[in-house]
């Protein structure tokens, strides 16, 4: 009986997964550029992860194209994001070896991501499964070329080949030769090939389409990455700040509304203008109060702010129409706003980010106001000026709340310059990767924000450089994602990612961006996407700046769960276990 138990114990030990020590090797199906056309090859990628500072190192031989290096950085980012993990305390080493002269293109991105995940989680991957595909920043697998050539190369070593969804039908040129007398004529016609059927018939290779890294990860490891179920829970600190803000804005709006109506009643302007201005001055403030009473302080503050702009515009419109010189009135009004703009003086980067964003909006609205002034569109210029004045007021309000912000996001570190430089580098890398497949307004915004980050870095404004870099990263990520996914999917994805970051850091700016994104979902999905992504990015300011903050400990069982075994993944392991049990039985039998 005890020998039987011993055999069972041996079997259990052998079945238990063998964990790699943060090193994973995986094949990269690639295409070699030869004089005779493209040829499928298998390069070898090794991933090592060690304690470090979030750097990515790529070592290739022979040569590699720049987009392969960018793919490595993207693979690291996607893997860490999938696990909702801060990887800033690890260095990632990607080593690629190949017999080909040049391994080109970003098609190894999916394999790099799988290997990175396996290393982070100390999991073995099967050597019977291969994958090709670019990696998108939302963890979806993007299209590649050379599917048929890669499949032939894979068939020599593997049993299963994973390809991007929708890429099982490829087109190749079919050459036919016809001989007429002494002349041979070659005719080339395109033909469509079903890679799934073709590979099975000619090479006994199973080809499967996959949409995401999550799906591919299961084929390689027999595990699936757990999904998180999260709710938005506003912190007491955040609610306290927003309650104060809503209080002040409602109070100011109430007084300004009274002032607007009083000035209108005392004015001598014509009835044509009077009726229009009365509608502006009597704009209802009850919705702001209702939200306040229900504890929705952010919504209350936002509504009150929009009413403030209306009341301010109504009041200034009365003064403008009663002035002796309307042009000079507008000029003096705009100059007065400019004279009251202040510099930001805080060591708290999150507060800095909030105020800086509002001051940027002040400058933006003033630019529009002056443009309309010089084009003699005075009423429009007056409206932009009213917006700028009230936005400047809210920037001042936030300065009053400096003591409300948690001290853990204060940073006066001598390493601030290095952090800013790293954020700029990461933004540049993401833009480079996204520009390979996209060109849209998100990418343009990313480039503009990156330039602002670099300008601030040169001027020594490292806080601003970090903030603009993070916003640049957010736009660059969306630039590539928007091509392959519908907006509803992306909204859900970035809403969840933002919640993970907010729940972890309790960031005030993250919570405010999140609430703002929620208000935009129905009317402006693109803006909502941006602010969900900003919420995620800027919620991590504390992790980026504070080296003493507690880092993530990797406990695999927190991130993954086993799926039912399948024959393809565990074929070799099953044979190995059977053989070992057989020999164990023989040895024990001899002793008996």
């Amino acid at each position: 009986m005890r020998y039987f138990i011993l055999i069972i114990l041996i079997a259990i030990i052998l079945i238990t997964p063998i964990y790699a020590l943060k090193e994973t090797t995986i094949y990269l199906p690639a295409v070699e550029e030869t004089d005779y056309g493209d040829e499928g090859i298998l390069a070898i990628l090794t991933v090592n992860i060690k304690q470090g500072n979030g750097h990515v190192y790529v070592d290739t031989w022979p040569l590699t194209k720049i987009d392969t290096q960018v793919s490595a950085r993207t693979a690291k980012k996607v893997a860490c994001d999938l696990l909702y993990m801060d990887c800033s305390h690890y260095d990632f080493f990607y080593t690629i070896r190949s017999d080909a002269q040049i391994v080109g293109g970003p098609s190894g991105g999916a394999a790099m991501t799988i290997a990175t995940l396996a290393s982070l989680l100390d999991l073995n991957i099967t050597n019977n499964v291969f994958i090709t595909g670019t990696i998108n920043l939302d963890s979806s697998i993007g299209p590649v070329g050379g599917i048929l050539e890669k499949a032939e190369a894979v068939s020599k070593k593997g049993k299963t080949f994973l390809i991007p969804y929708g890429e099982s039908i490829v087109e190749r040129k079919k050459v036919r030769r016809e001989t007429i007398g002494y002349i041979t004529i070659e005719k080339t016609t395109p033909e469509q090939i079903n890679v799934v059927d073709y590979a099975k018939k000619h090479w006994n290779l199973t080809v499967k389409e996959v949409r995401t890294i999550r799906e591919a990860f299961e084929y390689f490891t027999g595990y699936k990455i757990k999904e998180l179920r999260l709710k938005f829970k506003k912190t007491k600190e955040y609610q306290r700040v927003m309650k104060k803000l809503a209080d002040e804005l409602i109070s100011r709006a109430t007084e300004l509304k009274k002032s607007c109506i009083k000035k209108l009643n005392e004015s001598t302007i014509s009835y044509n203008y009077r009726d229009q201005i009365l509608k502006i001055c009597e704009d209802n403030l009850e919705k702001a109060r209702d939200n306040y009473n229900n504890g929705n302080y952010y919504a209350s503050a936002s509504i009150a702010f929009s009413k403030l702009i209306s009341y301010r515009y109504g009041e200034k419109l009365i003064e403008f129409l009663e002035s002796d010189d309307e042009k000079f009135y507008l000029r003096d009004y705009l100059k007065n706003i400019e004279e009251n703009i202040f510099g930001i003086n805080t060591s708290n980067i999150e507060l800095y980010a909030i105020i800086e964003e509002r001051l940027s909006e002040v400058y933006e609205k003033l630019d529009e106001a002056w443009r309309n002034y010089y084009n003699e569109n005075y009423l429009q210029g007056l409206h932009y000026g009213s917006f700028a004045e009230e936005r400047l007021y809210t920037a001042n309000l936030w300065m009053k709340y400096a003591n409300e912000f948690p001290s853990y996001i204060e940073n006066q570190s001598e390493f601030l310059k290095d952090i800013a430089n790293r954020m700029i580098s990461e933004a540049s890398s993401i833009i480079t990767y996204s520009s390979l497949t996209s060109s849209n307004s998100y990418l343009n915004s990313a480039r503009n924000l990156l330039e602002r980050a670099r300008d601030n870095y040169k001027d020594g404004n490292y806080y601003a450089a970090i903030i603009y870099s993070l916003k640049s990263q957010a736009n660059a990520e969306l630039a590539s994602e928007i091509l392959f996914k519908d907006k509803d999917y992306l909204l859900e994805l970035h809403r969840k990612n933002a919640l993970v970051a907010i729940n972890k850091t309790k960031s005030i700016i993250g919570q405010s961006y999140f609430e703002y994104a929620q208000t935009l979902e129905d009317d402006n999905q693109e803006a909502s996407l941006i602010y969900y992504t900003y919420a995620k990015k800027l919620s991590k300011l504390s992790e980026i700046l504070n080296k003493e903050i507690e880092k993530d400990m990797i406990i695999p069982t927190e991130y993954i769960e086993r799926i039912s075994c399948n024959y393809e993944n565990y074929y070799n392991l099953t044979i190995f276990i059977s053989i070992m049990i057989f020999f164990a039985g023989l040895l024990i039998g001899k002793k008996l």
Side-chain angles (χ1 to χ4, degrees):
M1 179 67 182
R2 61 182 179 179
Y3 295 114
F4 175 75
I5 294 173
L6 180 60
I7 293 174
I8 296 299
L9 288 174
I10 292 172
I12 292 172
I13 292 170
L14 291 171
I15 292 172
T16 302
I18 303 169
Y19 293 113
L21 297 176
K22 296 206 179 298
E23 176 173 309
T24 301
T25 298
I26 192 171
Y27 283 107
L28 294 181
V31 174
E32 181 181 9
E33 300 167 356
T34 71
D35 294 337
Y36 306 100
D38 292 341
E39 180 180 333
I41 59 160
L42 295 177
I44 297 175
L45 166 71
T46 301
V47 177
N48 284 278
I49 302 175
K50 301 177 181 179
Q51 292 291 325
N53 298 298
H55 298 302
V56 175
Y57 301 94
V58 181
D59 174 21
T60 63
W61 186 261
L63 300 175
T64 185
K65 292 184 177 179
I66 186 65
D67 45 18
T68 304
Q69 299 177 43
V70 176
S71 292
R73 297 174 71 96
T74 307
K76 169 248 181 178
K77 183 183 184 314
V78 171
C80 295
D81 285 351
L82 271 174
L83 301 178
Y84 308 106
M85 183 184 295
D86 171 26
C87 291
S88 62
H89 53 299
Y90 289 111
D91 284 340
F92 294 74
F93 299 83
Y94 296 86
T95 304
I96 300 174
R97 294 292 181 263
S98 171
D99 294 331
Q101 291 301 306
I102 297 179
V103 179
S107 65
M112 287 178 169
T113 310
I114 294 293
T116 305
L117 283 167
S119 288
L120 283 170
L121 296 169
D122 279 334
L123 287 177
N124 270 353
I125 59 174
T126 177
N127 58 7
N128 286 325
V129 179
F130 293 67
I131 188 170
T132 187
T134 60
I135 180 63
N136 298 316
L137 289 158
D138 64 349
S139 79
S140 62
I141 297 170
V144 294
I147 296 285
L148 203 59
E149 292 82 0
K150 293 173 184 176
E152 184 174 5
V154 167
S155 68
K156 298 171 184 177
K157 288 185 177 290
K159 296 181 179 296
T160 302
F161 186 33
L162 307 180
I163 64 174
Y165 182 80
E167 293 237 293
S168 59
I169 304 298
V170 300
E171 189 175 279
R172 73 173 181 180
K173 294 178 181 178
K174 184 177 182 180
V175 179
R176 291 189 305 164
R177 292 181 175 84
E178 293 183 8
T179 302
I180 304 174
Y182 297 102
I183 300 174
T184 300
I185 301 173
E186 286 189 354
K187 291 184 178 180
T188 303
T189 57
E191 67 171 343
Q192 286 192 334
I193 295 176
N194 185 311
V195 179
V196 175
D197 297 337
Y198 189 92
K200 197 68 176 177
K201 178 180 178 181
H202 290 81
W203 307 311
N204 195 29
L205 177 69
T206 299
V207 176
K208 292 181 178 292
E209 293 185 349
V210 287
R211 294 175 183 266
T212 66
I213 287 296
R214 284 180 177 274
E215 187 180 348
F217 183 77
E218 296 180 12
Y219 282 97
F220 276 93
T221 66
Y223 287 87
K224 65 179 179 180
I225 300 170
K226 293 180 180 179
E227 290 276 5
L228 295 183
R229 299 287 183 265
L230 300 169
K231 291 184 178 180
F232 180 38
K233 296 179 180 178
K234 304 168 192 175
T235 63
K236 292 180 180 179
E237 292 83 1
Y238 172 71
Q239 284 289 75
R240 185 168 62 245
V241 171
M242 294 312 302
K243 186 174 186 291
K244 284 187 175 183
L245 186 67
D247 265 331
E248 299 231 28
L249 291 179
I250 289 175
S251 176
R252 181 178 174 87
T254 301
E255 293 303 314
L256 195 54
K257 180 178 182 178
K258 291 177 182 177
S259 174
C260 185
I261 294 172
K262 181 180 178 182
K263 281 192 176 184
L264 182 63
N265 291 334
E266 295 173 351
S267 71
T268 58
I269 60 176
S270 67
Y271 282 102
N272 289 336
Y273 282 116
R274 183 179 294 273
D275 289 342
Q276 296 177 45
I277 296 173
L278 184 61
K279 290 179 181 178
I280 295 172
C281 294
E282 289 185 338
D283 201 359
N284 199 325
L285 196 57
E286 287 307 307
K287 193 174 180 181
R289 294 193 178 99
D290 289 342
N291 274 280
Y292 181 89
N293 292 333
N294 291 326
N296 300 322
Y297 302 124
Y298 180 89
S300 174
S302 297
I303 295 167
F305 174 71
S306 68
K307 302 304 179 185
L308 265 175
I309 298 169
S310 295
Y311 303 151
R312 178 64 66 193
Y313 178 56
E315 185 182 70
K316 290 299 175 183
L317 193 54
I318 296 167
E319 294 176 1
F320 172 81
L321 293 171
E322 290 184 332
S323 65
D324 295 331
D325 191 315
E326 295 176 347
K327 180 178 180 180
F328 287 164
Y329 174 87
L330 178 57
R331 181 199 64 186
D332 292 343
Y333 175 49
L334 298 181
K335 283 185 176 181
N336 183 62
I337 297 172
E338 289 178 334
E339 289 170 359
N340 284 285
I341 296 176
F342 59 92
I344 308 174
N345 182 23
T346 177
S347 61
N348 187 304
I349 190 172
E350 193 161 298
L351 180 59
Y352 183 101
I354 291 171
I355 298 171
E356 193 281 333
E357 184 175 55
R358 279 146 184 79
L359 290 181
S360 292
E361 200 168 7
V362 171
Y363 285 117
E364 178 187 319
K365 298 305 178 184
L366 280 175
D367 284 345
E368 290 292 335
W370 281 115
R371 188 176 294 111
N372 279 279
Y373 169 82
Y374 289 117
N375 290 329
E376 298 184 355
N377 298 322
Y378 300 135
L379 293 183
Q380 193 66 28
L382 195 65
H383 186 269
Y384 281 117
S386 300
F387 193 117
E389 181 180 0
E390 293 309 313
R391 181 49 84 197
L392 183 60
Y393 172 75
T394 62
N396 270 296
L397 273 186
W398 280 102
M399 277 297 294
K400 290 171 58 177
Y401 303 149
N403 293 332
E404 301 290 340
F405 281 73
S407 60
Y408 66 78
I409 44 180
E410 290 187 5
N411 190 286
Q412 297 174 329
S413 169
E414 60 187 85
F415 302 110
L416 199 59
K417 181 178 180 180
D418 292 337
I419 294 169
N421 188 42
R422 176 161 58 89
M423 292 298 102
I424 289 173
S425 177
E426 287 185 13
S428 179
S429 176
I430 297 172
I431 288 173
T432 300
Y433 187 82
S434 296
S435 64
L436 297 174
T437 56
S438 60
S439 178
N440 49 41
S441 60
Y442 290 113
L443 195 57
N444 291 334
S445 294
R447 288 177 175 138
N448 292 335
L449 288 163
L450 181 58
E451 282 306 306
R452 295 179 75 174
R454 285 171 171 158
D455 289 342
N456 277 279
Y457 181 84
K458 291 175 184 176
D459 294 337
N461 300 324
Y462 301 126
Y463 273 2
I466 291 169
I467 293 160
Y468 283 124
S469 294
L470 290 171
K471 290 184 176 181
S472 174
Q473 291 175 28
N475 280 273
E477 289 175 14
L478 288 174
S480 62
E481 293 173 1
I482 204 73
L483 295 176
F484 305 106
K485 296 291 179 182
D486 62 75
K487 287 179 183 174
D488 288 335
Y489 170 86
L490 287 175
L491 279 169
E492 177 61 27
L493 174 73
H494 288 287
R495 187 189 303 114
K496 183 183 293 184
N497 288 341
L499 280 175
V500 171
I502 291 167
N503 286 353
K504 184 176 181 181
T505 64
K506 316 302 181 188
S507 163
I508 288 178
I509 192 172
Q511 292 176 77
S512 67
Y513 276 143
F514 189 90
E515 278 210 88
Y516 186 48
Q518 284 183 313
T519 66
L520 294 170
E521 275 200 35
D522 293 335
D523 300 324
N524 191 340
Q525 285 191 329
E526 288 192 5
S528 181
L529 266 176
I530 283 289
Y531 281 97
Y532 276 133
T533 314
Y534 284 176
K536 179 187 75 171
K537 290 289 184 183
L538 274 76
S539 287
K540 296 181 179 180
L541 282 170
S542 58
E543 294 178 346
I544 293 169
L545 294 177
N546 195 340
K547 290 183 177 293
E548 296 180 359
I549 196 168
E550 185 178 347
K551 302 298 184 181
D552 288 330
M553 297 297 293
I554 300 177
I555 304 173
T557 53
E558 292 185 0
Y559 299 100
I560 56 174
E561 56 188 0
R562 182 178 284 282
I563 60 174
S564 57
C565 296
N566 62 64
Y567 181 80
E568 287 178 331
N569 281 4
Y570 295 99
Y571 175 76
N572 288 341
L573 183 60
T574 303
I575 293 176
F576 177 71
I577 291 171
S578 300
I579 293 172
M580 293 301 294
I581 292 174
F582 174 75
F583 280 111
L586 286 179
L587 290 172
I588 293 169
K590 285 182 178 180
K591 290 184 178 181
L592 291 173

